[in-house]
Amino acid sequence: MCEAPGGCGGCAVGSAPGPARRRPAPVCSQPRPCVKCGEGAAAVVIRVGDGFCRACFREYFVHKFRAMLGKNRVIFPGEKVLLALSGGPASSAMLRQVQEGLSRETAKRLRFVPGLVYIDEGAVCGQSPEQREQNLAQMEALLQETGFPYYLASLEQALELPGSVLRRGPGAAGEPCPSYKVAVEGFIQQRRQEAADGDGDTSPAGLSTQHGPGGDLAAPRARLPAAALTAELLRLFEAVETLTAKEELLQMLRSHLILHTARTRGYPKVMTGESCTRVAVKLLTNLALGRGAFLAVDTGFVDGRHGDVTLVRPMREYMAKEIAFYNHFFGVPTVITPPLSTKRREKTSIHRLMESFLLGLQVDFPSTISTVYRTGEKLSAAPAEAGSELQRCLLCLCALDIAGEEELALEPTLVTEETGNGPESRAAFIPLLCYSCRLTFKEMGSPATLPPYVRAEAQHRSCRARMKEQIQEFLLEDDEEEPGAS
Ligand SMILES: [Zn+2]
Ligand SMILES: [Zn+2]
């Protein structure tokens, strides 16, 4: 068996390295030449019959990243971009692409200004405080080495988020307003000016703004949060009835923390590292979770649901296998963290079922993942626009796919089990949620255990909804306007 990729230079390796499923090893025949340069021995097979040597594979990998950004033109030159890192293979490879891109010669250089964020989720993954400390230290060393500003947060900090994180920021409602071309020209102009003023831009892009206004904040504290806060987080997860809802809760807390970091540190763009494999799993999972209406925002290249902060998924055309090879060949370090911890006898989650289903199929039908991925691309459509925050889901911030009023008839059990504090009743949350989040919400335990920021914002919205109802007859027009819009 070809244990390590490149272990036998010419072997056309068919399966990913690492803990992935193994098939009977392909027979090592003559070392085939690289289809690109015709010189090096093929070390990786990208598509059937296309064996690349290491150097060409690296070039292909790096080019793909640049091409993805170039094609979509969402990231403007000089813009601050926050890379959300998990320590896993895909986001680690993403970080390396950004480092590669910034160090290239001028014509091909990436021109944005990166920052890094890592969320420590050890508390809900069954790690001991010692293991968490160790993990954090390891991760911090990696982040520090890049020279980029970085932020460390723990999942516990989600409990201290403000309710406003659930509101859409004052961004453009639709497309980003300044055209890409104008932004590029402005950037070039500015660079010329700087070159004329000083002795040129000798510092690599991305490092220069570290000391700008608010840029010297790279003073992270790799310390664990207070034990009481960890206990509160664990209570929150223990109250959740199913592993599926726990996975959703974890994703929600993580994404809100990242969003909050981006907002408070002034990053208008966030890059996440979902691979093609991850996107395919997410597509099917979200379909099963009743999020069909949001597939485009949940998995597309651009996710603009937050208004002021745009999420970008530049790794979504890389297969997990490609990423594994790349990391292995070029020594990209990763930090492995365990998945969400489960109680014994707990049923598995829809997320994990979908993953093992797809990866299982992929073993015998190697085009499974890419077929699902491409199908998702075709299904993608512009989601319905929401006029006001009352028309957006409280938890996922997507435009509500259910008209608020029709669902108010709830099972009596839901209402009676509450202890009588009005705004905290389950029934009060339902009209604020999309179809899928309602399903998840029903498995999340009593509203009293929800994160404080969710409860605060729910109260705020219920209040506004009531107020709107009361003044309804005095309003001239029915359609509301986004606060701040004129
Ligand atoms: Zn080659
Ligand atoms: Zn929702």
Short mmCIF file of all heavy atoms in Angstrom, two decimals, residues 34 36-38 40 52-53 56, ligand 1:
data_model
loop_
_atom_site.label_atom_id
_atom_site.label_comp_id
_atom_site.label_asym_id
_atom_site.label_seq_id
_atom_site.Cartn_x
_atom_site.Cartn_y
_atom_site.Cartn_z
N CYS A 34 4.53 13.70 -15.27
CA CYS A 34 3.52 14.72 -14.99
C CYS A 34 2.87 15.16 -16.30
O CYS A 34 3.56 15.40 -17.29
CB CYS A 34 4.20 15.89 -14.29
SG CYS A 34 3.24 17.39 -14.22
N LYS A 36 1.50 17.88 -16.90
CA LYS A 36 1.63 19.32 -17.11
C LYS A 36 3.00 19.65 -17.70
O LYS A 36 3.10 20.24 -18.77
CB LYS A 36 1.45 20.04 -15.77
CG LYS A 36 1.19 21.51 -15.89
CD LYS A 36 -0.26 21.84 -15.59
CE LYS A 36 -0.53 23.33 -15.70
NZ LYS A 36 -0.40 24.00 -14.40
N CYS A 37 4.07 19.27 -16.99
CA CYS A 37 5.40 19.64 -17.44
C CYS A 37 6.09 18.51 -18.19
O CYS A 37 7.08 18.73 -18.88
CB CYS A 37 6.26 20.07 -16.25
SG CYS A 37 6.55 18.77 -15.05
N GLY A 38 5.56 17.30 -18.05
CA GLY A 38 6.14 16.17 -18.76
C GLY A 38 7.48 15.72 -18.23
O GLY A 38 8.12 14.83 -18.78
N GLY A 40 8.64 15.97 -14.28
CA GLY A 40 8.60 15.37 -12.95
C GLY A 40 7.75 14.11 -12.94
O GLY A 40 6.89 13.91 -13.81
N PHE A 52 -0.09 14.85 -11.63
CA PHE A 52 0.75 16.05 -11.52
C PHE A 52 1.97 15.73 -10.68
O PHE A 52 1.88 14.99 -9.70
CB PHE A 52 -0.02 17.19 -10.81
CG PHE A 52 -0.99 17.93 -11.69
CD1 PHE A 52 -1.62 17.31 -12.75
CD2 PHE A 52 -1.29 19.26 -11.42
CE1 PHE A 52 -2.52 18.00 -13.54
CE2 PHE A 52 -2.20 19.95 -12.19
CZ PHE A 52 -2.81 19.32 -13.26
N CYS A 53 3.11 16.33 -11.03
CA CYS A 53 4.26 16.26 -10.14
C CYS A 53 4.04 17.25 -9.00
O CYS A 53 3.13 18.07 -9.07
CB CYS A 53 5.56 16.57 -10.88
SG CYS A 53 5.70 18.29 -11.39
N CYS A 56 4.03 21.04 -10.04
CA CYS A 56 2.86 21.44 -10.82
C CYS A 56 1.60 21.40 -9.96
O CYS A 56 0.69 22.21 -10.14
CB CYS A 56 2.70 20.55 -12.05
SG CYS A 56 3.99 20.85 -13.27
ZN ZN B 1 4.91 18.74 -13.48
#
